[in-house]
Amino acid sequence: MTTPLDPALRDTLDAGLATLDLDPALAPPLLDYLALLVRWNRTYNLTAIRDPHEMVTLHLLDSLALAPHLDGVARLADLGAGAGLPGIPLALARPGLQVELVESNGKKARFMRQAVRTLGLANATVHECRAEALDLPGRFDAITARALATLADIVAVGGHLLRPGGRLLALKGVRPDDEIAALPAGWQVGDITPLRVPGLAAERHLVAVHAPG
């Protein structure tokens, strides 16, 4: 049974998709995902954000702000994916993108598997393990992590997954100059792009870090 959502959520989502220049046809599957998240969240506490209106902005649109920056990426690993953010919205927005969702928490991994089945996402796979234990070295064009520690920490646990010259695409708040300074030798910062997330007043930056090679 799907949890009914406030119809006004569709208006907010439609406006956000238009601002991000994304296909309006994404709205129905995104709302199906949101309804599933709201329902599971009541029992399993998958995310601290409980209000579906806040989820549209802080989960869906915030994740989708990365979608226009994935040119040249065929395989993406979402590390510490939690409830599937940003990986599941990105898999919906970019059907040609293969997304691997990596999460060690069992209840969150179970939710993502259910979401992938419900949404019919042939381009998303869930790995229930820690990022450092994922044995797919050099397989990915990019890795991302929405809420997983510092840039250096992400490199430490997931850097092995990147092909030579692949990119860490990190979603951050304010420009993380201290984190950039602490990157290990050989990892080079590329573009630092301010992101405009519809409905979000806070700063948001996409930091691209290139792997050695």
Side-chain angles (χ1 to χ4, degrees):
M1 179 179 176
T2 303
T3 301
L5 294 174
D6 182 350
L9 293 173
R10 175 64 185 264
D11 295 335
T12 303
L13 183 56
D14 282 343
L17 291 172
T19 298
L20 294 171
D21 198 25
L22 293 172
D23 188 347
L26 288 171
L30 285 167
L31 290 173
D32 288 343
Y33 167 64
L34 183 63
L36 192 65
L37 177 57
V38 168
R39 178 162 65 88
W40 276 60
N41 206 38
R42 293 196 184 112
T43 302
Y44 295 103
N45 195 30
L46 301 173
T47 168
I49 298 170
R50 320 294 294 187
D51 181 354
H53 291 269
E54 292 185 2
M55 286 181 175
V56 169
T57 298
L58 298 176
H59 284 339
L60 300 184
L61 296 176
D62 187 58
S63 295
L64 289 168
L66 179 55
H69 303 277
L70 294 174
D71 290 343
V73 177
R75 292 178 63 91
L76 173 74
D78 179 7
L79 310 182
L85 301 157
I88 287 177
L90 293 175
L92 286 167
R94 301 290 291 257
L97 177 70
Q98 179 62 39
V99 179
E100 309 288 325
L101 302 154
V102 186
E103 174 56 54
S104 62
N105 181 289
K107 63 186 178 183
K108 293 177 180 179
R110 285 194 296 276
F111 168 75
M112 287 194 291
R113 284 193 289 266
Q114 180 62 49
V116 166
R117 285 194 296 270
T118 299
L119 297 168
L121 280 175
N123 62 325
T125 303
V126 178
H127 300 272
E128 188 177 335
C129 66
R130 297 176 65 86
E132 57 266 41
L134 186 62
D135 189 19
L136 294 172
R139 292 285 298 278
F140 295 91
D141 302 302
I143 60 175
T144 191
R146 189 163 170 259
L148 186 69
T150 68
L151 296 174
D153 289 337
I154 299 168
V155 166
V157 301
H160 70 285
L161 300 170
L162 285 171
R163 62 170 175 77
R167 293 178 293 160
L168 160 60
L169 299 173
L171 292 164
K172 292 288 181 177
V174 297
R175 180 183 166 115
D177 290 312
D178 289 347
E179 293 184 28
I180 291 168
L183 282 165
W187 292 81
Q188 299 293 324
V189 174
D191 294 333
I192 303 174
T193 308
L195 296 178
R196 182 186 173 197
V197 178
L200 183 66
E203 280 190 70
R204 212 74 172 105
H205 289 84
L206 173 64
V207 181
V209 182
H210 295 262

